[in-house]
Amino acid sequence: QKEVEQNSGPLSVPEGAIASLNCTYSDRGSQSFFWYRQYSGKSPELIMFIYSNGDKEDGRFTAQLNKASQYVSLLIRDSQPSDSATYLCAVNDYGQNFVFGPGTRLSVLP
Amino acid sequence: DGGITQSPKYLFRKEGQNVTLSCEQNLNHDAMYWYRQDPGQGLRLIYYSQIVNDFQKGDIAEGYSVSREKKESFPLTVTSAQKNPTAFYLCASTGQEPGPQHFGDGTRLSIL
């Protein structure tokens, strides 16, 4: 059974701080990795995706992938109250099969 | 604009009744998915389809059925055999590998 694990939180950070969200996965064959943001009562929206080891930056967001250690993380710089949401990590093995983690609730305090 | 349309937004089911949730996409994506999300939980895969007229069971297919007669459409039927159907249902699609999934706005199903 392929598994994706995340700390359920809530993770609380003050406004302007860096929020660090982590995700580990069990399948070494995983090839692509995605971070989604989900506001309460809404559907997930794609934040970032990463396929290669290392860092990928997009605005205030940085995704980090370490395939050897089987973890992927999301850093949110200059966190804003509007970033308060649940962040879902998803992993894909090129077989069109996606496995989602349970999500981490982030709370950014004004 | 291209996207995924789910309808209705809210749905109520009476005991013993089958209900069908609609999912339509105009993204020309081959693969489509149905997920169930319970409060405070992650997404669990119900069914997926990678091509017209073919679909596969996910982790929690019991009590659900699907069809894929057209590339654009992937309706989900929640049958009376699903004893605990109250949840948020999400439809998603994926284009060429290894792209991300795109989600519709979801349908919230409740029991009357």
Side-chain angles (χ1 to χ4, degrees):
Chain A
Q1 181 83 358
K2 299 175 184 178
E3 294 184 343
V4 175
E5 296 186 348
Q6 298 179 254
N7 188 324
S8 62
L11 173 65
S12 296
V13 299
E15 184 174 355
I18 296 176
S20 178
L21 305 164
N22 298 313
C23 170
T24 60
Y25 58 94
S26 63
D27 182 11
R28 286 196 171 274
S30 300
Q31 297 292 332
S32 48
F33 307 86
F34 308 91
W35 283 100
Y36 290 85
R37 177 176 63 198
Q38 186 176 27
Y39 292 114
S40 182
K42 302 296 185 182
S43 64
E45 55 180 322
L46 182 69
I47 298 293
M48 297 247 347
F49 59 88
I50 185 167
Y51 304 142
S52 304
N53 276 330
D55 295 359
K56 179 181 179 182
E57 186 174 320
D58 184 1
R60 294 187 297 114
F61 299 95
T62 298
Q64 299 175 318
L65 174 61
N66 184 325
K67 289 187 178 181
S69 301
Q70 294 176 242
Y71 85 79
V72 56
S73 63
L74 179 70
L75 301 179
I76 306 175
R77 289 182 299 281
D78 188 23
S79 296
Q80 301 297 310
S82 59
D83 293 326
S84 298
T86 296
Y87 289 80
L88 302 172
C89 173
V91 173
N92 177 264
D93 61 0
Y94 276 163
Q96 296 282 30
N97 296 319
F98 293 78
V99 181
F100 283 80
T104 297
R105 277 194 300 133
L106 173 65
S107 178
V108 180
L109 308 174
Chain B
D1 277 4
I4 300 174
T5 302
Q6 289 188 242
S7 62
K9 190 170 183 177
Y10 298 96
L11 187 58
F12 298 91
R13 195 193 86 169
K14 295 180 181 178
E15 197 164 333
Q17 185 182 41
N18 293 350
V19 292
T20 297
L21 285 60
S22 171
C23 177
E24 303 277 334
Q25 55 99 357
N26 60 4
L27 299 167
N28 199 33
H29 285 173
D30 288 315
M32 297 186 73
Y33 307 78
W34 275 105
Y35 292 94
R36 169 180 172 142
Q37 187 176 36
D38 293 284
Q41 305 296 313
L43 278 62
R44 291 188 291 169
L45 182 64
I46 304 173
Y47 269 98
Y48 66 99
S49 168
Q50 298 187 358
I51 196 170
V52 173
N53 292 324
D54 186 52
F55 47 83
Q56 307 296 328
K57 292 183 179 180
D59 300 322
I60 55 165
E62 186 173 347
Y64 301 96
S65 66
V66 294
S67 63
R68 187 84 187 276
E69 298 177 1
K70 298 186 300 182
K71 186 175 184 177
E72 302 79 19
S73 179
F74 191 40
L76 173 73
T77 297
V78 184
T79 74
S80 57
Q82 172 51 246
K83 298 306 180 186
N84 184 24
T86 298
F88 188 41
Y89 290 86
L90 289 159
C91 179
S93 70
T94 309
Q96 197 169 6
E97 298 176 20
Q101 288 187 316
H102 301 266
F103 286 88
D105 289 339
T107 293
R108 198 165 297 277
L109 176 62
S110 302
I111 294 284
L112 273 180

mmCIF file of all heavy atoms in Angstrom, chain A residues 11-20 76 79-80 106-110:
data_model
loop_
_atom_site.group_PDB
_atom_site.id
_atom_site.type_symbol
_atom_site.label_atom_id
_atom_site.label_comp_id
_atom_site.label_asym_id
_atom_site.label_seq_id
_atom_site.Cartn_x
_atom_site.Cartn_y
_atom_site.Cartn_z
ATOM 1 N N LEU A 11 -0.346 23.714 12.368
ATOM 2 C CA LEU A 11 0.923 24.402 12.431
ATOM 3 C C LEU A 11 0.623 25.893 12.499
ATOM 4 O O LEU A 11 -0.033 26.425 11.605
ATOM 5 C CB LEU A 11 1.755 24.091 11.177
ATOM 6 C CG LEU A 11 3.052 24.870 11.000
ATOM 7 C CD1 LEU A 11 4.033 24.506 12.099
ATOM 8 C CD2 LEU A 11 3.653 24.596 9.621
ATOM 9 N N SER A 12 1.046 26.519 13.556
ATOM 10 C CA SER A 12 0.769 27.949 13.735
ATOM 11 C C SER A 12 2.060 28.740 13.585
ATOM 12 O O SER A 12 3.063 28.409 14.232
ATOM 13 C CB SER A 12 0.156 28.200 15.111
ATOM 14 O OG SER A 12 -1.103 27.568 15.214
ATOM 15 N N VAL A 13 2.023 29.761 12.755
ATOM 16 C CA VAL A 13 3.176 30.640 12.571
ATOM 17 C C VAL A 13 2.687 32.085 12.612
ATOM 18 O O VAL A 13 1.547 32.369 12.219
ATOM 19 C CB VAL A 13 3.914 30.368 11.242
ATOM 20 C CG1 VAL A 13 4.441 28.938 11.196
ATOM 21 C CG2 VAL A 13 3.051 30.687 10.055
ATOM 22 N N PRO A 14 3.533 33.006 13.078
ATOM 23 C CA PRO A 14 3.132 34.416 13.067
ATOM 24 C C PRO A 14 3.223 34.988 11.658
ATOM 25 O O PRO A 14 4.004 34.509 10.820
ATOM 26 C CB PRO A 14 4.149 35.083 13.997
ATOM 27 C CG PRO A 14 5.331 34.189 13.964
ATOM 28 C CD PRO A 14 4.824 32.803 13.743
ATOM 29 N N GLU A 15 2.442 35.999 11.393
ATOM 30 C CA GLU A 15 2.476 36.665 10.100
ATOM 31 C C GLU A 15 3.881 37.150 9.790
ATOM 32 O O GLU A 15 4.569 37.691 10.654
ATOM 33 C CB GLU A 15 1.508 37.854 10.114
ATOM 34 C CG GLU A 15 1.384 38.575 8.787
ATOM 35 C CD GLU A 15 0.306 39.652 8.815
ATOM 36 O OE1 GLU A 15 -0.410 39.781 9.829
ATOM 37 O OE2 GLU A 15 0.181 40.387 7.809
ATOM 38 N N GLY A 16 4.329 36.904 8.547
ATOM 39 C CA GLY A 16 5.651 37.313 8.125
ATOM 40 C C GLY A 16 6.723 36.250 8.315
ATOM 41 O O GLY A 16 7.832 36.374 7.775
ATOM 42 N N ALA A 17 6.416 35.199 9.037
ATOM 43 C CA ALA A 17 7.387 34.128 9.278
ATOM 44 C C ALA A 17 7.396 33.133 8.119
ATOM 45 O O ALA A 17 6.589 33.210 7.191
ATOM 46 C CB ALA A 17 7.048 33.420 10.585
ATOM 47 N N ILE A 18 8.336 32.199 8.202
ATOM 48 C CA ILE A 18 8.396 31.114 7.219
ATOM 49 C C ILE A 18 7.641 29.905 7.761
ATOM 50 O O ILE A 18 7.888 29.457 8.882
ATOM 51 C CB ILE A 18 9.850 30.709 6.921
ATOM 52 C CG1 ILE A 18 10.610 31.867 6.259
ATOM 53 C CG2 ILE A 18 9.901 29.481 6.016
ATOM 54 C CD1 ILE A 18 12.085 31.581 6.031
ATOM 55 N N ALA A 19 6.733 29.385 6.954
ATOM 56 C CA ALA A 19 6.020 28.154 7.320
ATOM 57 C C ALA A 19 6.669 26.998 6.570
ATOM 58 O O ALA A 19 6.929 27.098 5.363
ATOM 59 C CB ALA A 19 4.545 28.258 6.948
ATOM 60 N N SER A 20 6.936 25.934 7.287
ATOM 61 C CA SER A 20 7.585 24.762 6.690
ATOM 62 C C SER A 20 6.681 23.548 6.826
ATOM 63 O O SER A 20 6.336 23.137 7.933
ATOM 64 C CB SER A 20 8.925 24.500 7.396
ATOM 65 O OG SER A 20 9.529 23.344 6.849
ATOM 66 N N ILE A 76 6.798 28.368 2.852
ATOM 67 C CA ILE A 76 6.043 29.573 2.503
ATOM 68 C C ILE A 76 6.704 30.736 3.219
ATOM 69 O O ILE A 76 6.703 30.812 4.450
ATOM 70 C CB ILE A 76 4.564 29.461 2.928
ATOM 71 C CG1 ILE A 76 3.934 28.194 2.357
ATOM 72 C CG2 ILE A 76 3.786 30.699 2.460
ATOM 73 C CD1 ILE A 76 2.497 27.947 2.839
ATOM 74 N N SER A 79 4.711 34.568 5.438
ATOM 75 C CA SER A 79 3.362 33.995 5.561
ATOM 76 C C SER A 79 2.328 35.076 5.847
ATOM 77 O O SER A 79 2.566 35.994 6.636
ATOM 78 C CB SER A 79 3.346 32.958 6.683
ATOM 79 O OG SER A 79 4.182 31.865 6.371
ATOM 80 N N GLN A 80 1.169 34.938 5.216
ATOM 81 C CA GLN A 80 0.065 35.866 5.372
ATOM 82 C C GLN A 80 -1.145 35.132 5.943
ATOM 83 O O GLN A 80 -1.309 33.935 5.749
ATOM 84 C CB GLN A 80 -0.305 36.469 4.017
ATOM 85 C CG GLN A 80 0.820 37.211 3.335
ATOM 86 C CD GLN A 80 1.276 38.412 4.160
ATOM 87 O OE1 GLN A 80 0.457 39.230 4.590
ATOM 88 N NE2 GLN A 80 2.582 38.510 4.396
ATOM 89 N N LEU A 106 -2.531 24.744 8.369
ATOM 90 C CA LEU A 106 -1.651 25.873 8.664
ATOM 91 C C LEU A 106 -2.497 27.040 9.133
ATOM 92 O O LEU A 106 -3.490 27.390 8.491
ATOM 93 C CB LEU A 106 -0.854 26.278 7.426
ATOM 94 C CG LEU A 106 -0.015 27.555 7.548
ATOM 95 C CD1 LEU A 106 1.097 27.373 8.579
ATOM 96 C CD2 LEU A 106 0.553 27.959 6.193
ATOM 97 N N SER A 107 -2.081 27.641 10.228
ATOM 98 C CA SER A 107 -2.740 28.834 10.738
ATOM 99 C C SER A 107 -1.703 29.939 10.842
ATOM 100 O O SER A 107 -0.694 29.774 11.545
ATOM 101 C CB SER A 107 -3.366 28.555 12.105
ATOM 102 O OG SER A 107 -3.967 29.717 12.621
ATOM 103 N N VAL A 108 -1.903 31.031 10.122
ATOM 104 C CA VAL A 108 -0.996 32.179 10.174
ATOM 105 C C VAL A 108 -1.652 33.244 11.039
ATOM 106 O O VAL A 108 -2.722 33.763 10.709
ATOM 107 C CB VAL A 108 -0.709 32.731 8.770
ATOM 108 C CG1 VAL A 108 0.250 33.925 8.857
ATOM 109 C CG2 VAL A 108 -0.132 31.637 7.879
ATOM 110 N N LEU A 109 -0.994 33.564 12.142
ATOM 111 C CA LEU A 109 -1.574 34.468 13.130
ATOM 112 C C LEU A 109 -1.188 35.910 12.856
ATOM 113 O O LEU A 109 -0.015 36.221 12.702
ATOM 114 C CB LEU A 109 -1.088 34.047 14.524
ATOM 115 C CG LEU A 109 -1.311 32.567 14.859
ATOM 116 C CD1 LEU A 109 -0.667 32.220 16.198
ATOM 117 C CD2 LEU A 109 -2.798 32.257 14.866
ATOM 118 N N PRO A 110 -2.183 36.809 12.794
ATOM 119 C CA PRO A 110 -1.884 38.232 12.514
ATOM 120 C C PRO A 110 -1.067 38.860 13.647
ATOM 121 O O PRO A 110 -1.168 38.436 14.799
ATOM 122 C CB PRO A 110 -3.264 38.895 12.413
ATOM 123 C CG PRO A 110 -4.232 37.782 12.254
ATOM 124 C CD PRO A 110 -3.613 36.566 12.895
#
